[in-house]
Amino acid sequence: MFRNFKMVDRLVYGRGCLAQLEGILEERRNSESGGMVFLMDDVFHGGPLPSRIPIRDGDRLLWVNVDQEPTTVTVDSLVETVQSAGPNPSAGVIGVGGGSVMDLAKAVSVMLTNPGSAADYQGWDLVENSSIYHVGVPTLSGTGAEVSRTAVLIGPVRKLGINSDYSVFDQIVLDPDLTATVTDEQRFYTGMDCYIHCVESLNGTYLNAFSRAYGEKAMDLCREVFLAERTPESEEKLMIASLYGGMSIAYSQVGVCHALSYGLSYVLGLHHGIGNCVVFDALEEFYPESVDEFRTMCDRHGVSLPRHLTSSLSEDQFNTMTRVALSMDPLWENALGPDWKSRMTEDRVRELYEAM
Ligand code: NAD
Ligand code: ZN
């Protein structure tokens, strides 16, 4: 069976295209529904961006802080806040921010029409009811969250996405201008998430011509962005690299780095981009040439990765990291093939973590 995969319905791309959001939402507004719910990264609070967001009477703007990555508890409380406003269903959810805010917007749009807690839906295809209309407006490039069918959340037991066709955005607004304020360090870490998506897709056993086409182009763009001089086009390229990297893994899978990084960030609370970089640096055995190239990129951008992160972890913490990492069956299978369990034992995972 081949996956019949759900893609984002509509996409607008180009510098300044945020101005079109008003017209796009206009088509969705009607007298029966409630207003739009805007989830916005609080890094923009007090800056010029909020005044460019088409908020009308009856809409709600909810600021979200992403110092910690999104949790199922955050999603549940946002849903409660939205529902406490009245019985009318909201007309749509619009997420303005990096991967964290986009994932929150996806999860909230799913949970507004499905009972229980977001934690009940962490996994694959557990969502039964269609989500409400939702729009992603990325302000940071790299995760591919704008195009993926997952809303990654830290839950009570593990960090795992709500993987569902209903998570996929109905519309995305890709305006490279919105990334202008990202710090160089964050741009690098989230950009490397994209680079690593490409490496893991292109080296995986699930690879096919579809994933290869997107992955190779995204990889080329990452190289143009991170191995050449920075130009005004760099942010445009990085935004498309993110999209294409996401498309590549949508029809294949990520691999060793992401499996280990999920465990690491679950226990240490590390953000996805930096967590991936720490893990990737220890994966010469699996992706030798790419790890070399990655180190060149780190050098060019003056990035020195944190070291010895696991040196003082307890036995319990190691066990939790290992459990979370080894529960990512599809990632391991993509990376190492169907007999991955014989190669990736608990001891081997522990050794890899000890090197970080
Ligand atoms: P992020 O959204 O966590 O943001 C990182 C930092 O950058 C935050 O401090 C944020 O406030 C800031 N920021 C964002 N945009 C900015 C801007 N324009 N100017 C200044 N600061 C800005 O970072 P991320 O790397 O984009 O996303 C990481 C999250 O995405 C993790 O939770 C990860 O699990 C998730 N993720 C999801 C997918 C998916 O397919 N759904 C894929 C990869 C990662
Ligand atoms: Zn990633």
Side-chain angles (χ1 to χ4, degrees), residues 10-313:
R10 285 176 172 271
L11 177 163
V12 53
Y13 167 73
R15 284 196 183 275
C17 74
L18 178 67
Q20 287 171 235
L21 182 60
E22 178 156 27
I24 288 167
L25 296 182
E26 185 58 42
E27 293 173 19
R28 293 280 161 175
R29 295 181 185 276
N30 63 59
S31 50
E32 279 119 67
S33 66
M36 297 285 168
V37 177
F38 293 89
L39 301 183
M40 199 160 176
D41 190 320
D42 67 3
V43 76
F44 300 113
H45 198 270
L49 191 57
S51 66
R52 299 182 51 209
I53 301 294
I55 301 171
R56 298 252 185 96
D57 281 353
D59 290 349
R60 304 195 66 180
L61 170 59
L62 303 178
W63 292 105
V64 285
N65 181 277
V66 298
D67 289 348
Q68 310 296 326
E69 290 196 336
T71 65
T72 52
V73 174
T74 316
V75 173
D76 294 346
S77 99
L78 285 167
V79 169
E80 209 181 299
T81 305
V82 173
Q83 286 174 334
S84 68
N88 275 357
S90 305
V93 178
I94 300 96
V96 185
S100 296
V101 176
M102 286 191 279
D103 281 354
L104 282 169
K106 290 170 167 183
V108 167
S109 75
V110 163
M111 293 312 300
L112 283 171
T113 53
N114 285 276
S117 160
D120 304 335
Y121 301 92
Q122 284 183 287
W124 282 270
D125 300 306
L126 303 173
V127 179
E128 290 194 350
N129 304 323
S130 304
S131 50
I132 66 166
Y133 176 76
H134 53 301
V135 181
V137 185
T139 63
L140 174 56
S141 301
T143 62
E146 61 277 22
V147 76
S148 73
R149 74 192 289 274
T150 183
V152 183
L153 300 173
I154 296 174
V157 187
R158 58 172 57 90
K159 181 177 175 184
L160 181 63
I162 299 180
N163 294 269
S164 162
D165 285 356
Y166 299 128
S167 302
V168 178
F169 282 119
D170 297 290
Q171 166 85 54
I172 53 178
V173 176
L174 305 181
D175 182 344
D177 278 348
L178 301 182
T179 64
T181 47
V182 178
T183 63
D184 289 350
E185 197 183 43
Q186 187 64 54
R187 173 182 182 266
F188 183 82
Y189 288 136
T190 303
M192 284 303 105
D193 187 24
C194 176
Y195 177 77
I196 295 166
H197 291 161
C198 299
V199 172
E200 298 194 304
S201 173
L202 292 171
N203 289 283
T205 61
Y206 292 0
L207 187 63
N208 51 53
F210 181 103
S211 292
R212 184 191 293 282
Y214 280 108
E216 286 179 348
K217 189 63 209 176
M219 177 67 100
D220 288 348
L221 290 167
C222 285
R223 290 184 176 132
E224 287 171 34
V225 171
F226 292 106
L227 291 173
E229 286 312 308
R230 188 164 176 174
T231 69
E233 284 78 48
S234 302
E235 304 335 289
E236 297 167 18
K237 289 177 180 173
L238 192 51
M239 194 160 254
I240 296 304
S242 175
L243 179 79
Y244 275 33
M247 289 294 284
S248 181
I249 49 176
Y251 217 59
S252 60
Q253 193 36 284
V254 283
V256 180
C257 182
H258 275 75
L260 293 174
S261 155
Y262 273 100
L264 193 75
S265 47
Y266 186 76
V267 169
L268 296 180
L270 271 190
H271 271 239
H272 185 73
I274 188 171
N276 275 351
C277 288
V278 167
V279 173
F280 197 63
D281 195 46
L283 298 184
E284 254 170 323
E285 173 193 337
F286 302 94
Y287 309 110
E289 285 161 18
S290 306
V291 171
D292 237 33
E293 186 170 59
F294 163 76
R295 288 179 184 156
T296 307
M297 290 176 176
C298 287
D299 287 347
R300 273 192 73 98
H301 292 265
V303 171
S304 56
L305 297 171
R307 305 265 172 209
H308 311 299
L309 286 176
T310 58
S311 53
S312 55
L313 291 186

